[in-house]
Amino acid sequence: MEEKTNKSHVLVLPFPVQGHINPMVQFSKRLTSKESVKVTLITIDSVTKSMPILESSSIKIHSIPHNDETPPQSYDLFLEWFHVLVSKNFTKIVEELSDSEYPVKVLVFDSITTWAIDLAHDLGLKGAAFFTQSCALSVVYYHMDPEKNKICVFDDDDGVCLPSLPLLQKQDLPSFVCQTDLYPSLKKLVFSRNINFKKADWLLFNSFDVLEKEVISWLRTQCRIKTIGPLIPSMYLDKRLKDDKEYGLSLFKPNSETCMKWLDSREIGSVVYVSFGSLANLGEQQMEELASGLMMSDFYFLWVVRVTEENKLTEEFMSKPKEKCLIVNWCPQLDVLSHQAVGCFFTHCGWNSTLEALSLGVPMVAMPQWSDQPTNAKFISDVWQTGVRVKAGENGVVNRDEIASSVRRVMREEEGIMLKENAIKWKKLAKEAVDEGGSSNKNIEEFLKLVIN
Ligand code: UDX
């Protein structure tokens, strides 16, 4: 009979995109704060190729080889390919990584890889589903009828009324709910995430109790969830702390020095930071309007345009003199957001970007693109009141005047002062949640106790 040890090796399986890797890496680091826990992050060769070497980190990486086979580009095909690859290798990985001192006991898996819980249970491991999105989003998906592909409660032209959520109009719902033709396999997985509520041993959310108070109270009437966020290195929440400054694992190379030098020479609160995260693709017309709107607003702006988006910048824009703007392909976002020169964040409202801005006290201009972002934008503007949301025209494009005036509302007008005050309030509450005795900190400590037993 195997001897029972109070030590544990935890495997962490993120869906391999930046917005899922970052919080799951941060969580992994937090778990290794206990000597009795070892963590290995499981990913695939095509991702590890872009990662920095993790020599100094407390977590190890296990990369699954795929013999130089290029992963499919389309989300739908990629999801299935990833599922098959991980399933084929999982037993071998667990055997290789388990040792008598640190047996593999738990798999923390991305809530989108709903099939992972069966892999864990088949080998006698416990499974924790990790949600990289808000709790509010889970309430929306909880009410989806996957067969009928619609929300299974009252909805009409006024919007959708779901427990614990504000009235959600079509523009506030996740894009999978409204756009019927969007990535069918990804959509199926997103809606089937409810399986996690039934099967997973633990449900972990990168959020914190007071941020989504009513929503979390309602979810807790249905299932036992643990809030564990915001998963941001504590030194960003409290400058006096000097912990590991490395955030997540960047799959893109940041132009750190250029960005920080440029910000250092700007006045307090004078810069608009603009980024649409790692996945969103703006249409060419939208890029043109955005570029013109930012120029028209007449503030300094630091704009992250990923290499794959660069060709959408028009020749006219590129040829104009741009004393007030710095364009980079990627930046150290937390350093930028916590720089005193940054006055507002023009964002696509990815969940990480949203949480990072809230936790660092930065007001936002919300321009959601897809997935959970419209719902996050609704909370930013109406619930937390830390930002304004741009309005798109009938063609779905947000025009330059709207962009310029939204930036001015946050940067210059009276309204901006209120938004900043609210942002500072959330910053304080975020810090409290992760401080000793705070709700998220307690939940992580509790989880750690369960993991080693
Ligand atoms: C996606 C979805 O959009 C998001 O809504 C979901 O909840 C998680 O996955 P992404 O679109 O990339 O992620 O946005 P976001 O969630 O904001 O994550 C981007 C991450 O990249 C953030 O942690 C951000 O700090 C980081 N980042 C972004 C950088 O480090 N540098 C940059 O220049 C831009």
Side-chain angles (χ1 to χ4, degrees), residues 24-33 39 54 57-59 233 244-248:
M24 292 184 80
V25 166
Q26 284 312 121
F27 184 59
S28 302
K29 289 185 193 164
R30 179 65 178 79
L31 294 182
T32 56
S33 61
V39 176
L54 263 184
S57 172
S58 52
I59 58 171
D244 179 8
K245 189 167 173 273
E246 209 58 52
Y247 175 53

PDB file of all heavy atoms in Angstrom, residues 24-33 39 54 57-59 233 244-248:
ATOM      1  N   MET A  24      -3.045  31.554 -14.336  1.00  0.00           N
ATOM      2  CA  MET A  24      -2.780  30.197 -13.830  1.00  0.00           C
ATOM      3  C   MET A  24      -1.325  30.051 -13.393  1.00  0.00           C
ATOM      4  O   MET A  24      -1.021  29.309 -12.463  1.00  0.00           O
ATOM      5  CB  MET A  24      -3.205  29.138 -14.860  1.00  0.00           C
ATOM      6  CG  MET A  24      -4.740  29.128 -15.001  1.00  0.00           C
ATOM      7  SD  MET A  24      -5.439  27.869 -16.075  1.00  0.00           S
ATOM      8  CE  MET A  24      -5.421  26.405 -15.036  1.00  0.00           C
ATOM      9  N   VAL A  25      -0.427  30.784 -14.034  1.00  0.00           N
ATOM     10  CA  VAL A  25       0.975  30.778 -13.589  1.00  0.00           C
ATOM     11  C   VAL A  25       1.073  31.487 -12.232  1.00  0.00           C
ATOM     12  O   VAL A  25       1.746  31.014 -11.307  1.00  0.00           O
ATOM     13  CB  VAL A  25       1.902  31.460 -14.633  1.00  0.00           C
ATOM     14  CG1 VAL A  25       3.267  31.771 -14.053  1.00  0.00           C
ATOM     15  CG2 VAL A  25       2.040  30.579 -15.860  1.00  0.00           C
ATOM     16  N   GLN A  26       0.379  32.607 -12.108  1.00  0.00           N
ATOM     17  CA  GLN A  26       0.417  33.331 -10.818  1.00  0.00           C
ATOM     18  C   GLN A  26      -0.119  32.463  -9.685  1.00  0.00           C
ATOM     19  O   GLN A  26       0.419  32.436  -8.588  1.00  0.00           O
ATOM     20  CB  GLN A  26      -0.407  34.623 -10.914  1.00  0.00           C
ATOM     21  CG  GLN A  26       0.254  35.751 -11.661  1.00  0.00           C
ATOM     22  CD  GLN A  26       1.681  35.996 -11.243  1.00  0.00           C
ATOM     23  OE1 GLN A  26       2.587  35.911 -12.073  1.00  0.00           O
ATOM     24  NE2 GLN A  26       1.919  36.266  -9.973  1.00  0.00           N
ATOM     25  N   PHE A  27      -1.197  31.749  -9.983  1.00  0.00           N
ATOM     26  CA  PHE A  27      -1.769  30.869  -8.969  1.00  0.00           C
ATOM     27  C   PHE A  27      -0.772  29.761  -8.609  1.00  0.00           C
ATOM     28  O   PHE A  27      -0.578  29.439  -7.429  1.00  0.00           O
ATOM     29  CB  PHE A  27      -3.086  30.275  -9.484  1.00  0.00           C
ATOM     30  CG  PHE A  27      -3.805  29.427  -8.474  1.00  0.00           C
ATOM     31  CD1 PHE A  27      -4.204  29.971  -7.261  1.00  0.00           C
ATOM     32  CD2 PHE A  27      -4.086  28.093  -8.715  1.00  0.00           C
ATOM     33  CE1 PHE A  27      -4.871  29.204  -6.305  1.00  0.00           C
ATOM     34  CE2 PHE A  27      -4.754  27.311  -7.774  1.00  0.00           C
ATOM     35  CZ  PHE A  27      -5.135  27.868  -6.565  1.00  0.00           C
ATOM     36  N   SER A  28      -0.110  29.229  -9.621  1.00  0.00           N
ATOM     37  CA  SER A  28       0.881  28.167  -9.387  1.00  0.00           C
ATOM     38  C   SER A  28       1.977  28.660  -8.450  1.00  0.00           C
ATOM     39  O   SER A  28       2.390  27.969  -7.527  1.00  0.00           O
ATOM     40  CB  SER A  28       1.529  27.740 -10.711  1.00  0.00           C
ATOM     41  OG  SER A  28       0.540  27.308 -11.602  1.00  0.00           O
ATOM     42  N   LYS A  29       2.435  29.892  -8.716  1.00  0.00           N
ATOM     43  CA  LYS A  29       3.506  30.439  -7.865  1.00  0.00           C
ATOM     44  C   LYS A  29       3.027  30.561  -6.427  1.00  0.00           C
ATOM     45  O   LYS A  29       3.767  30.312  -5.484  1.00  0.00           O
ATOM     46  CB  LYS A  29       3.935  31.825  -8.375  1.00  0.00           C
ATOM     47  CG  LYS A  29       4.706  31.766  -9.671  1.00  0.00           C
ATOM     48  CD  LYS A  29       5.175  33.170  -9.982  1.00  0.00           C
ATOM     49  CE  LYS A  29       5.678  33.295 -11.383  1.00  0.00           C
ATOM     50  NZ  LYS A  29       5.772  34.689 -11.794  1.00  0.00           N
ATOM     51  N   ARG A  30       1.776  30.966  -6.287  1.00  0.00           N
ATOM     52  CA  ARG A  30       1.214  31.138  -4.940  1.00  0.00           C
ATOM     53  C   ARG A  30       1.163  29.785  -4.213  1.00  0.00           C
ATOM     54  O   ARG A  30       1.439  29.706  -3.010  1.00  0.00           O
ATOM     55  CB  ARG A  30      -0.176  31.768  -5.090  1.00  0.00           C
ATOM     56  CG  ARG A  30      -0.938  32.019  -3.819  1.00  0.00           C
ATOM     57  CD  ARG A  30      -0.259  33.060  -2.943  1.00  0.00           C
ATOM     58  NE  ARG A  30      -1.048  33.311  -1.746  1.00  0.00           N
ATOM     59  CZ  ARG A  30      -1.080  32.525  -0.677  1.00  0.00           C
ATOM     60  NH1 ARG A  30      -0.340  31.440  -0.637  1.00  0.00           N
ATOM     61  NH2 ARG A  30      -1.828  32.834   0.374  1.00  0.00           N
ATOM     62  N   LEU A  31       0.843  28.722  -4.966  1.00  0.00           N
ATOM     63  CA  LEU A  31       0.769  27.400  -4.335  1.00  0.00           C
ATOM     64  C   LEU A  31       2.135  26.953  -3.818  1.00  0.00           C
ATOM     65  O   LEU A  31       2.234  26.310  -2.778  1.00  0.00           O
ATOM     66  CB  LEU A  31       0.243  26.347  -5.328  1.00  0.00           C
ATOM     67  CG  LEU A  31      -1.210  26.495  -5.810  1.00  0.00           C
ATOM     68  CD1 LEU A  31      -1.576  25.355  -6.748  1.00  0.00           C
ATOM     69  CD2 LEU A  31      -2.185  26.532  -4.633  1.00  0.00           C
ATOM     70  N   THR A  32       3.186  27.311  -4.553  1.00  0.00           N
ATOM     71  CA  THR A  32       4.510  26.847  -4.126  1.00  0.00           C
ATOM     72  C   THR A  32       5.070  27.662  -2.959  1.00  0.00           C
ATOM     73  O   THR A  32       6.201  27.447  -2.538  1.00  0.00           O
ATOM     74  CB  THR A  32       5.534  26.890  -5.286  1.00  0.00           C
ATOM     75  OG1 THR A  32       5.562  28.219  -5.781  1.00  0.00           O
ATOM     76  CG2 THR A  32       5.182  25.922  -6.387  1.00  0.00           C
ATOM     77  N   SER A  33       4.244  28.595  -2.448  1.00  0.00           N
ATOM     78  CA  SER A  33       4.713  29.306  -1.253  1.00  0.00           C
ATOM     79  C   SER A  33       4.761  28.338  -0.071  1.00  0.00           C
ATOM     80  O   SER A  33       5.362  28.628   0.956  1.00  0.00           O
ATOM     81  CB  SER A  33       3.807  30.492  -0.944  1.00  0.00           C
ATOM     82  OG  SER A  33       2.490  30.035  -0.689  1.00  0.00           O
ATOM     83  N   VAL A  39       4.708  22.353  -7.988  1.00  0.00           N
ATOM     84  CA  VAL A  39       3.770  22.577  -9.093  1.00  0.00           C
ATOM     85  C   VAL A  39       4.471  22.409 -10.439  1.00  0.00           C
ATOM     86  O   VAL A  39       5.581  22.904 -10.642  1.00  0.00           O
ATOM     87  CB  VAL A  39       3.168  24.003  -9.031  1.00  0.00           C
ATOM     88  CG1 VAL A  39       2.269  24.264 -10.243  1.00  0.00           C
ATOM     89  CG2 VAL A  39       2.354  24.193  -7.755  1.00  0.00           C
ATOM     90  N   LEU A  54      12.439  29.556 -17.429  1.00  0.00           N
ATOM     91  CA  LEU A  54      11.920  29.801 -16.080  1.00  0.00           C
ATOM     92  C   LEU A  54      12.887  29.365 -14.988  1.00  0.00           C
ATOM     93  O   LEU A  54      12.464  28.779 -14.002  1.00  0.00           O
ATOM     94  CB  LEU A  54      10.637  28.990 -15.904  1.00  0.00           C
ATOM     95  CG  LEU A  54       9.316  29.707 -16.126  1.00  0.00           C
ATOM     96  CD1 LEU A  54       8.169  28.797 -15.812  1.00  0.00           C
ATOM     97  CD2 LEU A  54       9.238  30.953 -15.250  1.00  0.00           C
ATOM     98  N   SER A  57      12.218  30.392 -11.409  1.00  0.00           N
ATOM     99  CA  SER A  57      10.869  30.254 -10.869  1.00  0.00           C
ATOM    100  C   SER A  57      10.717  29.002 -10.024  1.00  0.00           C
ATOM    101  O   SER A  57      11.417  28.016 -10.190  1.00  0.00           O
ATOM    102  CB  SER A  57       9.888  30.210 -12.028  1.00  0.00           C
ATOM    103  OG  SER A  57       8.622  29.889 -11.548  1.00  0.00           O
ATOM    104  N   SER A  58       9.742  29.078  -9.119  1.00  0.00           N
ATOM    105  CA  SER A  58       9.492  27.934  -8.258  1.00  0.00           C
ATOM    106  C   SER A  58       8.678  26.868  -8.980  1.00  0.00           C
ATOM    107  O   SER A  58       8.532  25.768  -8.496  1.00  0.00           O
ATOM    108  CB  SER A  58       8.729  28.408  -7.027  1.00  0.00           C
ATOM    109  OG  SER A  58       7.601  29.156  -7.439  1.00  0.00           O
ATOM    110  N   ILE A  59       8.116  27.223 -10.123  1.00  0.00           N
ATOM    111  CA  ILE A  59       7.321  26.201 -10.817  1.00  0.00           C
ATOM    112  C   ILE A  59       8.087  25.605 -11.990  1.00  0.00           C
ATOM    113  O   ILE A  59       8.940  26.250 -12.589  1.00  0.00           O
ATOM    114  CB  ILE A  59       5.957  26.756 -11.311  1.00  0.00           C
ATOM    115  CG1 ILE A  59       6.155  27.941 -12.256  1.00  0.00           C
ATOM    116  CG2 ILE A  59       5.062  27.145 -10.164  1.00  0.00           C
ATOM    117  CD1 ILE A  59       4.865  28.379 -12.921  1.00  0.00           C
ATOM    118  N   PRO A 233       1.156  39.895  -8.856  1.00  0.00           N
ATOM    119  CA  PRO A 233       2.219  39.923  -7.841  1.00  0.00           C
ATOM    120  C   PRO A 233       1.948  41.024  -6.819  1.00  0.00           C
ATOM    121  O   PRO A 233       1.601  42.152  -7.188  1.00  0.00           O
ATOM    122  CB  PRO A 233       3.482  40.226  -8.655  1.00  0.00           C
ATOM    123  CG  PRO A 233       3.154  39.816 -10.041  1.00  0.00           C
ATOM    124  CD  PRO A 233       1.678  39.991 -10.216  1.00  0.00           C
ATOM    125  N   ASP A 244       8.420  38.454  -6.142  1.00  0.00           N
ATOM    126  CA  ASP A 244       8.720  38.149  -7.530  1.00  0.00           C
ATOM    127  C   ASP A 244       7.898  39.072  -8.445  1.00  0.00           C
ATOM    128  O   ASP A 244       6.682  39.029  -8.458  1.00  0.00           O
ATOM    129  CB  ASP A 244       8.312  36.671  -7.751  1.00  0.00           C
ATOM    130  CG  ASP A 244       8.569  36.243  -9.175  1.00  0.00           C
ATOM    131  OD1 ASP A 244       9.173  37.017  -9.915  1.00  0.00           O
ATOM    132  OD2 ASP A 244       8.162  35.115  -9.507  1.00  0.00           O
ATOM    133  N   LYS A 245       8.616  39.899  -9.206  1.00  0.00           N
ATOM    134  CA  LYS A 245       7.935  40.900 -10.019  1.00  0.00           C
ATOM    135  C   LYS A 245       7.441  40.295 -11.339  1.00  0.00           C
ATOM    136  O   LYS A 245       6.603  40.860 -12.034  1.00  0.00           O
ATOM    137  CB  LYS A 245       8.953  42.004 -10.283  1.00  0.00           C
ATOM    138  CG  LYS A 245       8.412  43.227 -10.917  1.00  0.00           C
ATOM    139  CD  LYS A 245       9.439  44.339 -10.819  1.00  0.00           C
ATOM    140  CE  LYS A 245       9.016  45.561 -11.587  1.00  0.00           C
ATOM    141  NZ  LYS A 245       9.372  45.593 -12.973  1.00  0.00           N
ATOM    142  N   GLU A 246       8.011  39.142 -11.676  1.00  0.00           N
ATOM    143  CA  GLU A 246       7.661  38.481 -12.933  1.00  0.00           C
ATOM    144  C   GLU A 246       6.180  38.136 -12.935  1.00  0.00           C
ATOM    145  O   GLU A 246       5.691  37.484 -12.026  1.00  0.00           O
ATOM    146  CB  GLU A 246       8.490  37.197 -13.015  1.00  0.00           C
ATOM    147  CG  GLU A 246       8.820  36.733 -14.411  1.00  0.00           C
ATOM    148  CD  GLU A 246       9.578  37.761 -15.219  1.00  0.00           C
ATOM    149  OE1 GLU A 246      10.616  38.285 -14.754  1.00  0.00           O
ATOM    150  OE2 GLU A 246       9.087  38.036 -16.314  1.00  0.00           O
ATOM    151  N   TYR A 247       5.467  38.590 -13.969  1.00  0.00           N
ATOM    152  CA  TYR A 247       4.018  38.337 -14.004  1.00  0.00           C
ATOM    153  C   TYR A 247       3.698  37.303 -15.083  1.00  0.00           C
ATOM    154  O   TYR A 247       4.035  37.493 -16.254  1.00  0.00           O
ATOM    155  CB  TYR A 247       3.287  39.642 -14.300  1.00  0.00           C
ATOM    156  CG  TYR A 247       1.804  39.476 -14.474  1.00  0.00           C
ATOM    157  CD1 TYR A 247       1.039  38.833 -13.505  1.00  0.00           C
ATOM    158  CD2 TYR A 247       1.152  39.936 -15.613  1.00  0.00           C
ATOM    159  CE1 TYR A 247      -0.331  38.675 -13.660  1.00  0.00           C
ATOM    160  CE2 TYR A 247      -0.219  39.786 -15.772  1.00  0.00           C
ATOM    161  CZ  TYR A 247      -0.950  39.148 -14.792  1.00  0.00           C
ATOM    162  OH  TYR A 247      -2.297  38.982 -14.951  1.00  0.00           O
ATOM    163  N   GLY A 248       3.066  36.237 -14.677  1.00  0.00           N
ATOM    164  CA  GLY A 248       2.658  35.202 -15.635  1.00  0.00           C
ATOM    165  C   GLY A 248       3.835  34.695 -16.432  1.00  0.00           C
ATOM    166  O   GLY A 248       4.969  34.604 -15.929  1.00  0.00           O
TER     167      GLY A 248
END
